[in-house]
Amino acid sequence: MPAGTLYRGREGMWSWVAHRVTGVLIFFFLFVHVLDTALVRVSPHDYDTVVATYKNPVVNLMEYGLVAAILFHALNGLRVIAVDFWSKGPKYQRQMLWSVVGIWIVLMAGAFYPVLQNTLRTLFGS
Amino acid sequence: MSTATVENNHSAALDTAENAASHLITITLRVRRFNPEIAAEASWVDYQLQMDPKERILDALHKVKWEIDGTLTFRRSCAHGICGSDAMRINGRNRLACKTLLKDINPGKPITVEPIKGLTVLKDLVVDMEPFFQAYRDVMPFLITKGNEPMRERLQSAQDRERFDDTTKCILCAACTSSCPVFWNDGQYFGPAAIVNAHRFIFDSRDEGAEQRLEILNDREGVWRCRTTFNCTDACPRGIEVTKAIQEVKRALITRRI
């Protein structure tokens, strides 16, 4: 039996958890991104080698995940700003969250082919 | 014709009501029990009870305490949602045991009852409320005025009274504060309940201590800790829009306008 149950919060709590998780993921990406981009100053050749290792389906899928994290974090960030500065924000936070999720799904569907086209071509032929 | 139909419906409804009353349901009450004199760790204990689905969690706890195990410890005073003594975590969510009906929380499955989170458990469902009340006292929840006392009552328009009506409803049950993820991780945070009670005076036209209270809440552990998770608003048994009140205090601090 578990030590205690998980608190059963609603949309507000889980959107906050998702905001935190996506924020940390984006931070890790930026960390790696600054490192590999800084490499170009050290040795352009090594930079090319490193970036070449990124050109595979797994990293491509991670890029799609990065798009997902940034889109959610950005859109939910706007919702949090509205909750903070719009007097009716707290009242409509739930509707705003579902709008965020709706826009996120549309944008993710739109980004599917542009982001993953290389992988789709590699995996499913020309 | 129509009269007969109505009568038939009526008696059918009565029959159903009688059947429901005579058919108690078996529920499993799963209580998080802790007695520091017996064991260092808390553990779950299940109780099988015959209950009317229209009874409350508090009735189930009473049945356990009075008929099965007298050592079960919990707080309750009025048992009618006014004193704010019996806030506990029922099926994972903070509620008042005296305002939660069995039929509303899926009695087919075991019902979990735990103490509220973020405060030290003393025994079973009883927690140490002192940090909670200390935060409440810190925001000075009383009328502060300057100058001489008036010879008659301090008048207030209905509109001015309406401004803080929502936050006057607080019963200090701690359901909001102990539902807050920020408070679980940082016991120094004032918590929603203290801010709600500060709000009640900050926006009161008769009160002149708003500046002092805003300064207290401008602290590192004050309103800026709020991450708007809305757990407090969802948990409040009085339906106070807690997050909204906190946001109003934040905005008052930014604009310095009340």
Side-chain angles (χ1 to χ4, degrees), chain A residues 2-3 5 8 12-13 84 94, chain B residues 32 44 92-93 114 234 247:
Chain A
T5 61
R8 276 177 57 193
M13 179 172 122
D84 276 340
R94 214 158 269 156
Chain B
R32 187 81 178 151
W44 293 99
R93 234 171 241 167
E114 296 159 84
D234 292 335
Q247 296 304 79

Side-chain angles (χ1 to χ4, degrees), chain A residues 1-17 19-20 76 79-94 96, chain B residues 30 32 42 44 46 89-95 112 114 117 175 178-179 181-182 184-185 227-231 234-235 241 243-244 247-248 250-251 254:
Chain A
M1 221 116 11
T5 61
L6 198 63
Y7 192 85
R8 276 177 57 193
R10 298 190 55 180
E11 295 93 331
M13 179 172 122
W14 294 113
S15 69
W16 168 74
V17 170
H19 201 77
R20 273 278 159 101
N76 192 53
R79 167 179 164 268
V80 172
I81 291 170
V83 168
D84 276 340
F85 291 102
W86 178 37
S87 59
K88 289 194 176 116
K91 191 175 166 193
Y92 294 113
Q93 59 100 2
R94 214 158 269 156
M96 287 196 291
Chain B
R30 182 166 290 170
R32 187 81 178 151
W44 293 99
D46 283 8
R89 199 142 60 99
I90 299 162
N91 276 0
R93 234 171 241 167
N94 282 359
R95 312 168 209 247
T112 62
E114 296 159 84
K117 256 177 107 130
S178 62
S179 76
V182 180
W184 300 335
N185 294 318
R227 292 288 180 272
T228 59
T229 70
F230 290 92
N231 275 8
D234 292 335
E241 292 174 275
T243 313
K244 189 175 168 224
Q247 296 304 79
E248 284 174 358
K250 282 185 190 170
R251 275 201 296 277
I254 294 169

Side-chain angles (χ1 to χ4, degrees), chain A residues 45-91:
Chain A
H45 177 72
D46 287 345
Y47 173 79
D48 286 345
T49 320
V50 169
V51 170
T53 63
Y54 293 169
K55 289 174 182 166
N56 65 65
V58 175
V59 177
N60 200 190
L61 198 67
M62 283 163 70
E63 281 176 329
Y64 193 55
L66 180 67
V67 171
I70 287 177
L71 281 179
F72 179 82
H73 201 80
L75 293 168
N76 192 53
L78 293 176
R79 167 179 164 268
V80 172
I81 291 170
V83 168
D84 276 340
F85 291 102
W86 178 37
S87 59
K88 289 194 176 116
K91 191 175 166 193

